[in-house]
Short mmCIF file of all heavy atoms in Angstrom, two decimals:
data_model
loop_
_atom_site.label_atom_id
_atom_site.label_comp_id
_atom_site.label_asym_id
_atom_site.label_seq_id
_atom_site.Cartn_x
_atom_site.Cartn_y
_atom_site.Cartn_z
N TRP A 4 -2.15 -9.94 -9.83
CA TRP A 4 -1.31 -9.49 -8.73
C TRP A 4 -2.02 -9.68 -7.40
O TRP A 4 -3.24 -9.74 -7.33
CB TRP A 4 -0.96 -8.03 -8.91
CG TRP A 4 0.15 -7.76 -9.87
CD1 TRP A 4 0.33 -8.34 -11.09
CD2 TRP A 4 1.21 -6.83 -9.71
NE1 TRP A 4 1.43 -7.82 -11.70
CE2 TRP A 4 2.00 -6.89 -10.86
CE3 TRP A 4 1.56 -5.94 -8.70
CZ2 TRP A 4 3.12 -6.09 -11.04
CZ3 TRP A 4 2.68 -5.15 -8.87
CH2 TRP A 4 3.46 -5.24 -10.03
N LYS A 5 -1.24 -9.76 -6.36
CA LYS A 5 -1.77 -9.87 -5.00
C LYS A 5 -1.16 -8.74 -4.17
O LYS A 5 -0.35 -7.96 -4.65
CB LYS A 5 -1.44 -11.23 -4.41
CG LYS A 5 0.05 -11.51 -4.33
CD LYS A 5 0.31 -12.96 -3.98
CE LYS A 5 1.78 -13.30 -3.95
NZ LYS A 5 2.53 -13.09 -5.16
N TRP A 6 -1.54 -8.65 -2.91
CA TRP A 6 -0.91 -7.70 -2.01
C TRP A 6 -0.64 -8.39 -0.69
O TRP A 6 -1.23 -9.42 -0.37
CB TRP A 6 -1.78 -6.45 -1.83
CG TRP A 6 -3.02 -6.65 -1.03
CD1 TRP A 6 -4.25 -7.00 -1.53
CD2 TRP A 6 -3.16 -6.54 0.38
NE1 TRP A 6 -5.14 -7.10 -0.50
CE2 TRP A 6 -4.50 -6.82 0.69
CE3 TRP A 6 -2.30 -6.22 1.42
CZ2 TRP A 6 -4.98 -6.80 1.98
CZ3 TRP A 6 -2.78 -6.19 2.71
CH2 TRP A 6 -4.11 -6.47 2.97
N ASP A 7 0.29 -7.81 0.07
CA ASP A 7 0.66 -8.39 1.36
C ASP A 7 1.25 -7.28 2.24
O ASP A 7 1.60 -6.22 1.74
CB ASP A 7 1.67 -9.50 1.17
CG ASP A 7 1.77 -10.45 2.36
OD1 ASP A 7 1.03 -10.25 3.36
OD2 ASP A 7 2.56 -11.40 2.29
N TYR A 8 1.33 -7.55 3.52
CA TYR A 8 2.00 -6.64 4.45
C TYR A 8 3.48 -6.99 4.51
O TYR A 8 3.85 -8.16 4.45
CB TYR A 8 1.42 -6.79 5.85
CG TYR A 8 0.02 -6.25 6.01
CD1 TYR A 8 -1.07 -7.10 6.02
CD2 TYR A 8 -0.21 -4.90 6.19
CE1 TYR A 8 -2.36 -6.61 6.20
CE2 TYR A 8 -1.49 -4.40 6.36
CZ TYR A 8 -2.56 -5.26 6.37
OH TYR A 8 -3.82 -4.77 6.55
N SER A 9 4.33 -5.97 4.65
CA SER A 9 5.75 -6.20 4.84
C SER A 9 6.26 -5.21 5.88
O SER A 9 6.19 -4.01 5.64
CB SER A 9 6.51 -6.02 3.53
OG SER A 9 7.88 -6.22 3.73
N PRO A 10 6.69 -5.60 7.04
CA PRO A 10 7.11 -6.95 7.40
C PRO A 10 5.98 -7.90 7.79
O PRO A 10 6.05 -9.08 7.48
CB PRO A 10 8.06 -6.72 8.58
CG PRO A 10 7.61 -5.46 9.22
CD PRO A 10 7.02 -4.63 8.10
N SER A 11 4.95 -7.46 8.49
CA SER A 11 3.85 -8.35 8.84
C SER A 11 2.61 -7.53 9.17
O SER A 11 2.70 -6.35 9.54
CB SER A 11 4.20 -9.23 10.05
OG SER A 11 4.25 -8.45 11.23
N GLU A 12 1.45 -8.17 9.06
CA GLU A 12 0.21 -7.50 9.40
C GLU A 12 0.21 -7.08 10.87
O GLU A 12 -0.17 -5.96 11.21
CB GLU A 12 -0.98 -8.42 9.12
CG GLU A 12 -2.31 -7.80 9.50
CD GLU A 12 -3.49 -8.71 9.20
OE1 GLU A 12 -3.30 -9.86 8.79
OE2 GLU A 12 -4.63 -8.24 9.40
N GLU A 13 0.66 -7.96 11.74
CA GLU A 13 0.67 -7.67 13.17
C GLU A 13 1.52 -6.44 13.48
O GLU A 13 1.15 -5.58 14.28
CB GLU A 13 1.18 -8.87 13.97
CG GLU A 13 0.29 -10.09 13.89
CD GLU A 13 0.47 -10.89 12.59
OE1 GLU A 13 1.53 -10.75 11.91
OE2 GLU A 13 -0.45 -11.63 12.24
N HIS A 14 2.67 -6.35 12.85
CA HIS A 14 3.58 -5.22 13.09
C HIS A 14 2.99 -3.90 12.60
O HIS A 14 3.08 -2.89 13.28
CB HIS A 14 4.92 -5.49 12.40
CG HIS A 14 5.90 -4.37 12.52
ND1 HIS A 14 6.60 -4.13 13.68
CD2 HIS A 14 6.27 -3.41 11.65
CE1 HIS A 14 7.37 -3.07 13.51
NE2 HIS A 14 7.19 -2.62 12.28
N LEU A 15 2.39 -3.91 11.42
CA LEU A 15 1.91 -2.66 10.81
C LEU A 15 0.56 -2.20 11.32
O LEU A 15 0.27 -1.01 11.30
CB LEU A 15 1.87 -2.81 9.29
CG LEU A 15 3.23 -2.95 8.60
CD1 LEU A 15 3.05 -3.25 7.12
CD2 LEU A 15 4.06 -1.69 8.81
N THR A 16 -0.28 -3.11 11.76
CA THR A 16 -1.64 -2.72 12.13
C THR A 16 -1.89 -2.67 13.64
O THR A 16 -2.98 -2.29 14.06
CB THR A 16 -2.68 -3.65 11.49
OG1 THR A 16 -2.50 -4.98 12.00
CG2 THR A 16 -2.58 -3.65 9.97
N ALA A 17 -0.91 -3.01 14.43
CA ALA A 17 -1.09 -3.03 15.89
C ALA A 17 -1.55 -1.66 16.39
O ALA A 17 -0.94 -0.64 16.11
CB ALA A 17 0.20 -3.43 16.58
N GLY A 18 -2.67 -1.66 17.10
CA GLY A 18 -3.18 -0.44 17.70
C GLY A 18 -4.00 0.46 16.80
O GLY A 18 -4.51 1.48 17.25
N LEU A 19 -4.13 0.11 15.54
CA LEU A 19 -4.92 0.94 14.61
C LEU A 19 -6.41 0.63 14.73
O LEU A 19 -6.78 -0.53 14.96
CB LEU A 19 -4.48 0.70 13.17
CG LEU A 19 -3.09 1.20 12.78
CD1 LEU A 19 -2.77 0.76 11.35
CD2 LEU A 19 -3.01 2.70 12.91
#
Side-chain angles (χ1 to χ4, degrees):
W4 280 43
K5 59 191 177 301
W6 71 270
D7 199 0
Y8 290 101
S9 179
S11 70
E12 178 179 5
E13 295 80 20
H14 177 76
L15 293 173
T16 63
L19 291 175

